[in-house]
Amino acid sequence: MAKYSVFDCSVIELDRHHSDRKGNLSVVENGITLPFDVKRIYYLYDVPGGESRGSHAHKELEQLIVAASGSFRVTLDDGRTKRTFFLNRPYQGLYVKPGLWRDLDDFSSGAVCVVLASDVYRAEDYIRDYKDFIKFRNE
Ligand code: TYD
């Protein structure tokens, strides 16, 4: 399986419909917005200030990470290079390729982190130990 680098990940601009009177609406649609079809959505919220989430890699899962409200930081790591993204716009999403370590931190108060994922939850797809991750990258 291909091993991706942090430079294969980028912030995608989502379709945005603006109304001066009624506010904004953004859309993610299978077959149009993303290079994968969405099978699962989950969201992180009420993350206490100073807490971090993530600290794992996925072997195969692809994700789009969106700050639907507030802001937070995502640091991606391919075992050689780290790249940090600050997400604070509901109309932008960070597309994360498989096989990369991710840490999420610096959550603002009221932040909501919505994750659109390419597969259902599979515990065996996770690598939760950083040493195992480096081994996986070198396989
Ligand atoms: P975890 O992956 O540890 O959260 P994070 O990496 O964002 O800090 O998940 C927390 C708990 O939620 C863990 O017990 C697994 C469970 N979980 C599911 O049951 N289904 C899911 O789709 C996700 C993402 C987590």
Side-chain angles (χ1 to χ4, degrees):
M1 185 168 174
K3 294 265 162 57
Y4 295 104
S5 92
V6 293
F7 299 106
D8 295 313
C9 302
S10 57
V11 172
I12 292 176
E13 295 283 320
L14 306 177
D15 196 15
R16 187 180 175 203
H17 301 268
H18 172 74
S19 155
D20 280 339
R21 273 190 310 115
K22 297 197 286 183
N24 296 312
L25 180 154
S26 283
V27 185
V28 176
E29 202 168 351
N30 280 346
I32 298 176
T33 318
L34 298 173
F36 64 88
D37 277 356
V38 178
K39 279 206 185 156
R40 174 173 52 121
I41 298 172
Y42 64 91
Y43 35 99
L44 305 172
Y45 51 97
D46 293 345
V47 180
E51 263 316 323
S52 61
R53 307 285 310 218
S55 281
H56 63 252
H58 288 284
K59 294 175 195 162
E60 293 184 2
L61 192 76
E62 294 173 75
Q63 293 178 321
L64 184 80
I65 303 178
V66 180
S69 184
S71 63
F72 51 85
R73 191 164 61 173
V74 184
T75 302
L76 301 179
D77 178 353
D78 58 23
R80 283 171 167 251
T81 307
K82 288 186 186 187
R83 212 173 151 202
T84 295
F85 298 84
F86 187 68
L87 299 182
N88 63 349
R89 300 274 184 256
Y91 53 85
Q92 292 177 339
L94 175 62
Y95 171 50
V96 182
K97 288 275 194 184
L100 302 171
W101 191 266
R102 82 284 320 273
D103 289 296
L104 284 74
D105 63 5
D106 202 15
F107 285 86
S108 70
S109 141
V112 179
C113 168
V114 174
V115 181
L116 287 70
S118 63
D119 205 354
V120 297
Y121 179 74
R122 292 194 300 120
E124 62 275 19
D125 187 60
Y126 280 72
I127 305 171
R128 292 193 179 271
D129 183 286
Y130 192 77
K131 279 190 199 138
D132 292 342
F133 168 66
I134 295 300
K135 242 186 265 168
F136 168 83
R137 290 296 309 195
N138 293 328
E139 269 166 16

